[in-house]
Amino acid sequence: MASRDLAIGMIFLSQMIVGCLGNFFLLYHYSFLCFTRGALQSTDLILMHLTVANSLVLLSKGIPQTMAAFGLKDSLSDTGCKLVFYVHRVGRGVCIGNTCLLSIFQAITISPRELRWAQLKLHTLKYIGSSNILVMCWILNMLVNVAVAIHVTGKWNSINSTKTSDYGYCSGQGRIPHLLNIVLLSLLDVLCLGLMTLASGSTVFILLRHKRQVQHIRGTNLSPRASPESRVTQSILVLVSTFVLFYSLSSIFILHMSLFPNPSWWLVNTSALITACFPTVSPFVIMSRNPRIPRLGSACCGRNTVS
């Protein structure tokens, strides 16, 4: 085994363990709130679904990439490759959908409470923050990503051809149909990114306007502490910005791999690492900026103190 394969395998393994640890901790936290309080706030419900999608992305990308780096490239069967790619695409689609819903929900939440729009705002927030639309997001991604699994096969079942794309542990059959599927699926992602950008832009505008109003009322010499609503909004903006950064880089690599039949070792592994960056980083971004969520270290220390 080459030293570079061993190194990249350890990186994939470390990234998957750290990311899953953070997401599982958040999932435990939201599940605990759900069982003790009976219901979750809308933002917490969206974030709970996001952690599940993050975990699917990490496991479906990290496990096969680690196995391939350690020399087990032909271990996945045809069905295994289809399942891995399908789960990864569904998790990735739910990630972008939930992040989009989160940014839109927060933009509407902090928007001015004008009387004539109050009823519409109330109904919109109730619809976006409900579990029904989150379930619909899962179902939609499960349906539209079926086509992705059709064109993926195990390496032992693939034929050496210019129409075959090598992904390290699996192969893609029919480069042109696969590229068309990627383009069509990307249209939905572009729509979500556009809505996300508009919502985040309006959120920043509202926050700046609110800050100027507060400074004008209290005086420019005072620097009032940010309200809890503003802190939550800022944490969501950081989360959305992180997602847009990593998603844009990941999309560039995925498009490049779809255009060329046999991507290089560097391209395949870099694309996989970048794809798993947001699911790995996002739970720690959420925990670091949300005082209601206990830190991993403090939670462990707390349990040791009690015992």
Side-chain angles (χ1 to χ4, degrees), residues 15-285:
Q15 186 185 44
M16 181 177 60
I17 291 175
V18 172
C20 287
L21 180 64
N23 283 287
F24 289 163
F25 178 79
L26 272 185
L27 186 59
Y28 164 77
H29 170 74
Y30 291 128
S31 300
F32 179 78
L33 291 180
C34 184
F35 284 116
T36 54
R37 298 181 181 178
L40 290 174
Q41 296 180 3
S42 297
T43 52
D44 291 338
L45 185 60
I46 296 174
L47 289 173
M48 183 178 179
H49 281 256
L50 181 62
T51 57
V52 176
N54 284 342
S55 301
L56 290 180
V57 173
L58 286 170
L59 293 174
S60 61
K61 181 62 69 172
I63 292 178
Q65 288 290 161
T66 302
M67 292 171 60
F70 287 150
L72 303 174
K73 294 184 178 181
D74 302 331
S75 58
L76 286 178
S77 63
D78 189 48
T79 304
C81 279
K82 292 181 184 296
L83 181 62
V84 164
F85 264 75
Y86 178 72
V87 171
H88 171 70
R89 288 297 307 183
V90 170
R92 190 172 183 267
V94 173
C95 277
I96 186 173
N98 284 358
T99 309
C100 180
L101 288 175
L102 190 64
S103 60
I104 294 174
F105 181 88
Q106 198 61 30
I108 298 175
T109 300
I110 68 170
S111 61
R113 297 177 176 86
E114 297 182 8
L115 184 60
R116 58 179 178 174
W117 298 106
Q119 199 68 18
L120 177 61
K121 177 180 176 180
L122 182 63
H123 286 300
T124 304
L125 289 177
K126 185 177 180 181
Y127 179 71
I128 294 177
S130 67
S131 59
N132 293 333
I133 193 171
L134 295 173
V135 173
M136 287 175 57
C137 182
W138 282 98
I139 295 175
L140 177 62
N141 281 281
M142 288 179 183
L143 293 175
V144 299
N145 285 290
V146 171
V148 175
I150 296 176
H151 301 285
V152 178
T153 61
K155 294 199 69 175
W156 62 270
N157 196 32
S158 62
I159 302 173
N160 292 328
S161 172
T162 56
K163 296 181 180 181
T164 301
S165 298
D166 185 8
Y167 299 123
Y169 53 90
C170 293
S171 299
Q173 300 292 335
R175 188 157 52 95
I176 294 178
H178 179 65
L179 181 59
L180 290 176
N181 287 329
I182 294 295
V183 172
L184 291 176
L185 292 174
S186 297
L187 293 178
L188 184 61
D189 294 349
V190 170
L191 175 62
C192 290
L193 282 176
L195 293 175
M196 210 182 300
T197 303
L198 289 175
S200 300
S202 63
T203 300
V204 172
F205 175 77
I206 293 171
L207 284 177
L208 291 176
R209 186 175 63 178
H210 176 70
K211 183 179 179 180
R212 286 197 297 267
Q213 291 174 349
V214 171
Q215 287 181 343
H216 178 72
I217 294 173
R218 299 189 180 185
T220 54
N221 293 330
L222 297 177
S223 56
R225 298 178 63 181
S227 64
E229 189 178 61
S230 297
R231 288 198 295 270
V232 172
T233 303
Q234 291 170 5
S235 65
I236 291 176
L237 285 175
V238 172
L239 185 67
V240 172
S241 301
T242 306
F243 176 83
V244 172
L245 172 63
F246 287 123
Y247 178 83
S248 300
L249 291 174
S250 175
S251 298
I252 294 173
F253 279 93
I254 291 175
L255 182 60
H256 193 275
M257 289 173 59
S258 301
L259 290 174
F260 296 95
N262 293 306
S264 64
W265 178 92
W266 177 87
L267 185 63
V268 171
N269 289 285
T270 304
S271 175
L273 285 173
I274 293 177
T275 299
C277 276
F278 176 76
T280 302
V281 172
S282 61
F284 300 99
V285 173

